[in-house]
Amino acid sequence: MNTRLESNGPDRITLAMTGASGAQYGLRLLDCLVREDREVHFLISKAAQLVMATETDVTLPAKTQMMQAFLTEYTGAAAGQIRVYGKEDWMSPVASGSGAPAAMVVVPCSTGTLSAIATGACNNLIERAADVTLKERRQLILVPREAPYSSIHLEHMLKLSNMGVTILPASPGFYHQPQTIDDLIDFVVARILNLLNIPQDMLPRWGEYHLSSDE
């Protein structure tokens, strides 16, 4: 039995970023996963790279190997801890059930990617990795960032939820009295880490928060 998987979350995780607003969530999650000594298989769409350059001060190199080196230095990861794959790298571990990590997170998840996953499209490696995660009955977390949602978006979310996918909209709460934008980002990222059963100290669980407030 893999006790690490049960008690401390998966050792290997696929992290995909697509072209919705909220690049900060993906970057923060990557940083947290590295800090918790997880191996990250990183995928990013071209649209997500454009959004990231618009919303943050991070501009990723276009080539896969250079991007991997950049993210390794940016997060302080160990050599080989972050593995970056191109959109058509069909020989990568995430493209097959025999090699893919036990969990995958798409954050932010565009509604286009949501649609592709819900309909089984495998036009790029992100969609294929999600399809593999579904068919192998592994953990898949999608973090959409859109407002408002159309009926099409909601139908796709319901379909995926019925398959066991966790839909976690990027909707930060305020009961922890956030003081900065980083606090709002951490709220969503902490929720993702909780679902992965990976330790985090950014946000107390509800009962813990209530007790600490009374003290």
Side-chain angles (χ1 to χ4, degrees):
M1 179 181 295
N2 189 337
T3 55
R4 173 70 178 273
L5 180 60
E6 289 187 353
S7 64
N8 206 23
D11 291 324
R12 301 164 62 240
I13 297 165
T14 302
L15 170 58
M17 297 181 63
T18 59
S21 181
Q24 296 90 337
Y25 295 118
L27 287 172
R28 179 61 168 142
L29 179 59
L30 176 63
D31 181 68
C32 291
L33 293 174
V34 166
R35 186 178 62 185
E36 288 298 323
D37 198 27
R38 311 302 153 125
E39 179 181 296
V40 182
H41 295 242
F42 185 81
L43 315 173
I44 187 168
S45 68
K46 287 186 176 180
Q49 293 182 57
L50 291 173
V51 172
M52 185 183 296
T54 300
E55 294 184 340
T56 76
D57 58 358
V58 177
T59 301
L60 295 178
K63 294 186 178 181
T64 300
Q65 290 185 340
M66 294 178 65
M67 187 186 301
Q68 181 169 301
F70 176 89
L71 290 173
T72 296
E73 182 177 359
Y74 179 79
T75 61
Q81 188 177 0
I82 298 174
R83 303 185 182 188
V84 179
Y85 305 106
K87 69 174 185 177
E88 294 183 345
D89 190 352
W90 306 116
M91 297 304 292
S92 65
V94 300
S96 173
S98 64
M104 178 176 181
V105 183
V106 184
V107 54
C109 181
S110 68
T111 53
T113 299
L114 183 80
S115 171
I117 295 172
T119 56
C122 292
N123 296 317
N124 56 54
L125 188 59
I126 292 175
E127 296 169 11
R128 172 58 184 169
D131 193 63
V132 166
T133 305
L134 278 172
K135 78 182 184 69
E136 299 293 331
R137 304 294 195 271
R138 295 172 183 168
Q139 186 177 23
L140 178 59
I141 301 170
L142 306 181
V143 185
R145 211 305 311 167
E146 186 63 86
Y149 291 125
S150 73
S151 296
I152 294 173
H153 304 153
L154 294 170
E155 287 172 0
H156 287 154
M157 289 181 197
L158 178 60
K159 181 178 181 180
L160 289 166
S161 180
N162 287 335
M163 295 179 190
V165 177
T166 299
I167 307 296
L168 195 166
S171 304
F174 293 86
Y175 60 79
H176 63 308
Q177 299 182 348
Q179 302 298 308
T180 66
I181 292 176
D182 286 343
D183 291 340
L184 297 175
I185 294 168
D186 283 354
F187 181 95
V188 174
V189 173
R191 293 298 305 275
I192 297 170
L193 293 170
N194 285 345
L195 288 168
L196 291 169
N197 199 29
I198 292 176
Q200 58 83 20
D201 56 9
M202 297 179 291
L203 182 73
R205 299 177 190 273
W206 174 252
E208 296 169 351
Y209 176 81
H210 181 70
L211 289 173
S212 63
S213 298
D214 288 343
E215 292 177 354

